[in-house]
Amino acid sequence: MTKTNKVLTTAAIAMAAAGVAATGNTAVHADTDTPAPTTTKDTTPTPDAAVKAAQANVDQKQSDVDAATKADTAAQKVATAANAKVDAAKQQVTSAQTAEKTAAADQAKVAQNAADATPAKQAEVQKDIKTGEADVAAKTSAAKASASAVDTAKKAADSAKAAVTAAQNDVTTAQNDVNQKQTATAAAKTGNASGDINAAQSSVDQAMSQKQTADKDVESAQSAKTAADQQVATDNAAVIQAQTAADQADDAVNTAAAAKTAATTANTAAQNAVTAAQQSSSSSVTDSHLPNTVKWASDITKSDLDAFADTSSPKFDAAGAKISTSFSLNSYVNTPSDSKIEVPNAKAITPAMQLELAQFAADTINQIRAKTGQTKVVLSTGAMAMAQEIAAGYNSDNWNMWVNPGHDVSAITAAAKNYGYNSTDNYYEDMASAQSTISFVPEIAVMRNNTNNPDYNWIDNDTGAEGPHTYADVRASVWQGIINMMFDDAKSMYLHAADTMGYWNNPTMQYFGLSIDKFGQIHYIYLQDSPTYIADRDLATSKGVFTPAAAGATGSTDLAALTAKADATAKTLAAATTTLTKAQKQQTTARQTLTDAKNALVKSKSAASDAADKLAQATSAASSAAAKLASAQAALQALQTANSSAAASQAETVKAAEAALAAAKQTLASAQAVLTAKQADQQATDKAVTDAQTKADSDADAVAIAQKHVADLKQQLADMQNGDANLQAANAKLAAAKQAVTDAKDALTAAEAAAVKPNADAKATAAALTAAKQALAAAQTQLKTAQLNQYIDSLVHSRHDGMPVVKPEFKAATGEAVSVKPADFYDNTVKPEFKAAAGDAVSVKPEDFYDNTQAKGTPINLAKGDTDKQVALKPGSTQNAQAAPAAQATRGSQTNKSLAQLGDATSNLGALGMFALAMTSLLALVGFKKRQF
């Protein structure tokens, strides 16, 4: 009998007692004479190897995810920082634009004010100021009168109040007398005139004690009121004094403000004159030449430049390095006509050339100093002559700095002494030079050894030989010398740069000269107008140090005088500003003193009013006590009289008592009438105080309004008088605001450009991370599949000792798939390493098992509740343990191939089940035979 099988899962399945082997699609015969099948080497990885490979793949993919995560985190951080800079730059643009709008509005307002500041308008404002000041004076006088009226009204009110108190006391006394008289009359009518004299005497004693206490209270209250009145007088005097001081402070501020306005106007005019002269100088220097403008790197700020003011500052070297980036931006612009003028050596430089070169150098230096805000140089005849004398000294000493490093100090000090300057050292010269081995400009230089060059003709820097040189080369050398000292000065620790920018010793006035010696060395001479450097001022003056070199050099032969005048007006302005500031501080102090004095006066007046009230109360209490005493004494007297006049007729006593009572009532009525009148007077005086205070407040407000009006007018006049300066300041502020907007936009553009790559990198790393995670997930899925195949393989090759491989508790119905976990199997039925996957379930059906308790290899059906069945997953062993070696041999040869995915249409377990059923039928027909290999 022959049967053909297609292997779906494992390469071969060994049945314990069946002599059958399947290999690929090879036909297998059960007869004993069937030849052994051809065995092919299996290259499929074992389940264990597949798991190990899958685990290694997962580990690698996890490592990839970790690396991608780290890279993405770093990239996202960089991108976030870059985007934050973009956001900050946007905010800066918004702020700068807001500031520009404000500056534009202010500039427009100032411009309009300047346009309106005609002489007629100024005269009108000055007239209004005088009118306003007169109005302030009148209103101040009225306010003082109103304040005095308030005091008068309050005094009248205090008097009226005291009168009311006295009248009230009189009424109380009269009422007490009436009460006593009524008592006496009633006693006379009843005939009980004797009364209790002891009780009456006790009342008199008590009333006497109360009166004494009340009298002491009156004395104390009177003392307090006297002291309060004295304090009011003192505080009132302090207010008057403070008011006078405040008025004087106001006058001082007005005077100082006017002085500052005048000083500002004068200083503006003087500075404008100097500026015009300097501009004239610059124009004359460059009229016949193409301009050469010093260029600066865009990121250099004023604070960077100001760092050069302190050579010991840690910022000094950093600032020097930063401005060095400007070196490559500057190149000399040649005027073609200069190239036609041959200048082979220093002897060929004419005086006119010498002056023009010096003017050109001064203009270049002043461009730099305009940037730094430092004192500009002034070309003078004396400085030029001293420079020529220094060059002559270099020539005489044959001082070539490439042979004799440094400056020829003896030549410098000798010339300094001749021109009235300190001759102890070199305080005056910066020098530029070059040699043949250096390819950068200065263009003019000579060989170190001049044996074959007696005329000291300048060489060609490129060839090293004497070459034709022109005025263009000389001029370029003067320019480049300045540029080198400014932007390529690290070798000199940036000290030349500090000197060129005007920070060295912070000169207030500096004269300049220039010369070129026979070696092509350019001497830049700076002479400060300072006693620190000038040894003999008369000599320096006679030598022309302070005399401008030419009209063209400064724009005015009187530039020095103009500069001196500008300095003087600047000092005057500074002094006026200081005086105004001081006056304003004194005004503030005086105003505060006046306010404090007024507050103290209000407080003392309130205390005086309280003291008056307490005095009135004490006086009233004393009057009441006196009346009570008098009444008690009268009652005692009546009792005593009644006892002593026992013989007198009762009728006469009653008559006398009634007469006394009538008189007392009349007195009471009169006292009540007086009280009513006094109360009316008090109401009138209180109203007068209210009215007076209202008027005083109104007058005080009027003074304040008038004072503010005058102050506004004075400010308006000051703005008019200083309109040009204000407009210049507003224009400068607007220009700065516009530049700030430009700078902010440039910064934003730079920030956005800088953020492009970080954002792209972040996007790329995020994508890489996503891909790595996806690859990890795929690897993890592959690992689970490999582990599942390993698990199923371990079940296929389960134990063969007759022990069940599924616990008796396993329950299922025929055809019903159940989820079996490793925990459902006895411990030694699966590989030990599979236990690491505890909890991973496989889906099997009951027909996938054999019953170890029934006939060999008989399939069974498990029903729910079948807890007594011992089952083994097919293909498995019978209860005959001898089948184990065959199964083991099969396991070692062809059974360790991966199973297909569970749930697939060609489910391995299903295929194994069908294959087992077929093999069982075959075994039933042919019996058991030993396998032939």
Side-chain angles (χ1 to χ4, degrees):
M1 177 178 181
T2 303
K3 185 175 179 64
T4 301
N5 292 318
K6 183 177 182 181
V7 178
L8 299 178
T9 55
T10 61
I13 300 176
M15 301 301 299
V20 179
T23 305
N25 294 325
T26 303
V28 180
H29 300 272
D31 302 277
T32 57
D33 57 351
T34 301
T38 301
T39 303
T40 11
K41 187 176 181 180
D42 185 8
T43 58
T44 304
T46 65
D48 293 345
V51 168
K52 185 176 181 180
Q55 183 62 57
N57 189 36
V58 167
D59 293 341
Q60 180 59 49
K61 293 300 186 289
Q62 182 62 58
S63 177
D64 293 345
V65 167
D66 293 342
T69 299
K70 184 177 181 180
D72 184 57
T73 300
Q76 296 299 335
K77 183 177 180 181
V78 173
T80 299
N83 292 332
K85 290 183 179 180
V86 171
D87 293 339
K90 288 180 179 179
Q91 182 59 46
Q92 189 62 33
V93 169
T94 300
S95 299
Q97 289 173 334
T98 301
E100 181 187 15
K101 290 180 181 179
T102 302
D106 292 344
Q107 189 272 347
K109 182 178 179 181
V110 171
Q112 186 60 49
N113 291 340
D116 293 341
T118 62
K121 182 63 175 178
Q122 292 186 39
E124 181 182 348
V125 173
Q126 288 176 331
K127 181 179 179 181
D128 290 343
I129 290 174
K130 291 182 179 180
T131 302
E133 288 176 337
D135 185 47
V136 168
K139 284 184 167 57
T140 300
S141 178
K144 290 180 179 179
S146 297
S148 178
V150 170
D151 293 337
T152 301
K154 285 183 176 180
K155 289 180 180 179
D158 291 342
S159 298
K161 186 176 182 180
V164 167
T165 300
Q168 183 64 57
N169 292 336
D170 291 341
V171 168
T172 300
T173 300
Q175 183 63 57
N176 290 336
D177 189 40
V178 167
N179 295 339
Q180 295 291 337
K181 294 297 190 293
Q182 287 176 336
T183 301
T185 298
K189 288 182 178 180
T190 60
N192 187 21
S194 58
D196 188 355
I197 293 178
N198 291 331
Q201 183 61 53
S202 177
S203 297
V204 168
D205 293 341
Q206 184 179 6
M208 177 63 73
S209 177
Q210 292 175 347
K211 182 177 182 303
Q212 290 173 348
T213 300
D215 289 342
K216 290 181 180 179
D217 290 342
V218 169
E219 291 178 2
S220 177
Q222 183 62 58
S223 296
K225 184 177 184 303
T226 300
D229 289 342
Q230 289 176 347
Q231 187 61 48
V232 168
T234 300
D235 291 345
N236 193 58
V239 167
I240 294 174
Q241 182 178 1
Q243 183 65 60
T244 300
D247 292 342
Q248 292 173 347
D250 291 342
D251 293 340
V253 168
N254 293 336
T255 300
K260 181 185 177 183
T261 299
T264 300
T265 301
N267 181 249
T268 301
Q271 293 293 345
N272 289 341
V274 171
T275 301
Q278 290 172 337
Q279 289 175 346
S280 175
S281 170
S282 298
S283 297
S284 64
V285 169
T286 59
D287 277 346
S288 60
H289 289 88
L290 296 176
N292 276 272
T293 303
V294 179
K295 298 180 179 64
W296 303 76
S298 60
D299 61 341
I300 295 175
T301 65
K302 186 63 166 61
S303 61
D304 293 329
L305 300 176
D306 289 342
F308 285 90
D310 183 3
T311 58
S312 63
S313 170
K315 298 180 180 179
F316 184 86
D317 289 338
K322 187 172 183 179
I323 70 167
S324 296
T325 59
S326 302
F327 180 80
S328 61
L329 303 178
N330 290 276
S331 57
Y332 179 72
V333 179
N334 182 43
T335 300
S337 59
D338 290 342
S339 299
K340 300 177 182 179
I341 304 173
E342 291 188 4
V343 184
N345 52 43
K347 293 183 293 184
I349 298 176
T350 67
M353 291 179 182
Q354 190 75 36
L355 179 60
E356 197 281 327
L357 290 171
Q359 291 170 343
F360 173 49
D363 174 68
T364 303
I365 293 168
N366 284 339
Q367 284 187 55
I368 294 169
R369 295 194 178 188
K371 176 76 171 180
T372 64
Q374 299 303 302
T375 302
K376 295 182 178 181
V377 298
V378 176
L379 192 66
S380 75
T381 57
M384 285 290 294
M386 181 174 168
Q388 292 290 354
E389 189 169 319
I390 289 173
Y394 272 76
N395 292 339
S396 176
D397 296 339
N398 283 314
W399 193 281
N400 184 335
M401 68 178 295
W402 298 104
V403 178
N404 304 302
H407 299 266
D408 187 355
V409 177
S410 62
I412 296 168
T413 55
K417 184 176 182 180
N418 292 338
Y419 284 81
Y421 270 74
N422 187 313
S423 59
T424 58
D425 208 334
N426 172 29
Y427 306 115
Y428 317 107
E429 177 188 84
D430 286 338
M431 182 171 65
S433 181
Q435 63 174 346
S436 62
T437 58
I438 298 178
S439 60
F440 59 84
V441 289
E443 293 289 347
I444 52 176
V446 297
M447 297 292 290
R448 294 185 180 186
N449 185 344
N450 300 301
T451 304
N452 299 319
N453 188 9
D455 293 327
Y456 290 88
N457 290 330
W458 293 321
I459 61 170
D460 186 290
N461 277 334
D462 295 324
T463 65
E466 293 181 32
H469 280 79
T470 66
Y471 186 59
D473 298 326
V474 180
R475 210 166 183 272
S477 296
V478 171
W479 157 270
Q480 194 64 42
I482 296 172
I483 296 302
N484 287 351
M485 287 187 286
M486 264 301 302
F487 303 124
D488 188 27
D489 198 42
K491 56 187 175 295
S492 297
M493 298 181 292
Y494 308 109
L495 297 179
H496 289 121
D499 197 16
T500 305
M501 288 188 284
Y503 286 104
W504 191 262
N505 293 327
N506 297 315
T508 57
M509 186 65 185
Q510 197 171 55
Y511 296 94
F512 177 75
L514 180 138
S515 63
I516 303 174
D517 63 30
K518 65 182 181 181
F519 296 102
Q521 296 168 147
I522 306 170
H523 306 272
Y524 304 85
I525 305 302
Y526 300 90
L527 300 178
Q528 295 194 50
D529 187 357
S530 168
T532 303
Y533 298 95
I534 299 175
D536 187 342
R537 189 172 190 84
D538 291 339
L539 177 59
T541 301
S542 67
K543 290 283 190 175
V545 171
F546 312 124
T547 302
T554 60
S556 171
T557 55
D558 295 327
L559 177 58
L562 291 175
T563 303
K565 182 178 179 180
D567 291 341
T569 57
K571 291 179 181 178
T572 301
L573 175 58
T577 301
T578 300
T579 300
L580 176 59
T581 301
K582 183 178 180 181
Q584 288 172 333
K585 290 181 178 179
Q586 291 175 343
Q587 180 189 44
T588 300
T589 301
R591 284 290 173 189
Q592 185 59 49
T593 301
L594 176 59
T595 299
D596 294 343
K598 287 182 177 180
N599 292 336
L601 179 59
V602 171
K603 185 176 181 180
S604 61
K605 285 183 177 180
S606 176
S609 177
D610 292 341
D613 291 342
K614 291 179 179 178
L615 177 60
Q617 293 171 359
T619 301
S620 176
S623 297
S624 298
K628 185 176 181 181
L629 175 60
S631 177
Q633 289 173 336
L636 176 61
Q637 182 65 39
L639 289 174
Q640 290 173 340
T641 300
N643 287 335
S644 63
S645 304
S649 65
Q650 183 178 4
E652 291 178 354
T653 300
V654 170
K655 184 176 180 181
E658 289 177 342
L661 176 60
K665 289 182 176 179
Q666 183 60 42
T667 299
L668 175 59
S670 297
Q672 289 173 334
V674 171
L675 175 59
T676 299
K678 296 299 183 184
Q679 288 173 334
D681 290 343
Q682 183 182 22
Q683 291 178 352
T685 55
D686 287 345
K687 185 176 184 305
V689 169
T690 301
D691 293 343
Q693 188 63 59
T694 300
K695 187 175 186 306
D697 292 342
S698 177
D699 289 347
D701 292 341
V703 170
I705 292 172
Q707 288 174 334
K708 185 178 184 305
H709 177 60
V710 170
D712 291 343
L713 289 172
K714 288 181 177 180
Q715 184 61 52
Q716 182 181 358
L717 179 60
D719 291 341
M720 289 180 174
Q721 292 172 337
N722 200 31
D724 292 340
N726 289 341
L727 183 57
Q728 288 179 1
N731 288 336
K733 184 177 180 181
L734 178 58
K738 289 182 176 180
Q739 185 60 47
V741 171
T742 300
D743 293 343
K745 287 182 177 179
D746 291 343
L748 174 58
T749 299
E752 289 175 337
V756 171
K757 186 177 184 301
N759 283 315
D761 290 346
K763 184 176 181 181
T765 56
L769 177 58
T770 299
K773 288 181 177 180
Q774 291 173 348
L776 174 60
Q780 289 170 334
T781 299
Q782 291 174 356
L783 174 60
K784 289 184 178 180
T785 299
Q787 290 172 335
L788 185 57
N789 288 335
Q790 181 191 50
Y791 172 52
I792 293 175
D793 182 73
S794 70
L795 296 180
V796 169
H797 304 288
S798 58
R799 55 190 289 179
H800 304 285
D801 56 1
M803 293 297 291
V805 296
V806 180
K807 293 180 180 180
E809 292 83 7
F810 180 79
K811 301 174 183 180
T814 302
E816 179 181 352
V818 295
S819 179
V820 182
K821 298 182 180 179
D824 293 327
F825 294 83
Y826 289 107
D827 291 343
N828 57 355
T829 61
V830 295
K831 291 183 180 180
E833 56 268 24
F834 185 80
K835 295 177 182 179
D840 285 350
V842 296
S843 181
V844 296
K845 295 181 180 180
E847 54 266 36
D848 294 328
F849 294 83
Y850 282 127
D851 184 1
N852 287 345
T853 63
Q854 297 181 8
K856 300 176 181 178
T858 303
I860 64 166
N861 289 325
L862 295 180
K864 291 182 178 179
D866 290 339
T867 60
D868 59 339
K869 300 289 182 90
Q870 293 183 344
V871 297
L873 185 66
K874 297 186 298 183
S877 67
T878 65
Q879 53 193 15
N880 185 355
Q882 280 87 8
Q888 185 65 35
T890 303
R891 179 187 182 99
S893 58
Q894 293 179 319
T895 57
N896 288 331
K897 288 193 175 180
S898 298
L899 297 174
Q901 293 286 339
L902 292 177
D904 190 277
T906 57
S907 170
N908 290 320
L909 292 176
L912 286 172
M914 292 185 290
F915 181 72
L917 289 174
M919 292 303 297
T920 301
S921 301
L922 178 62
L923 290 172
L925 293 175
V926 300
F928 296 103
K929 290 185 178 181
K930 187 176 181 181
R931 299 189 66 180
Q932 303 294 321
F933 293 101

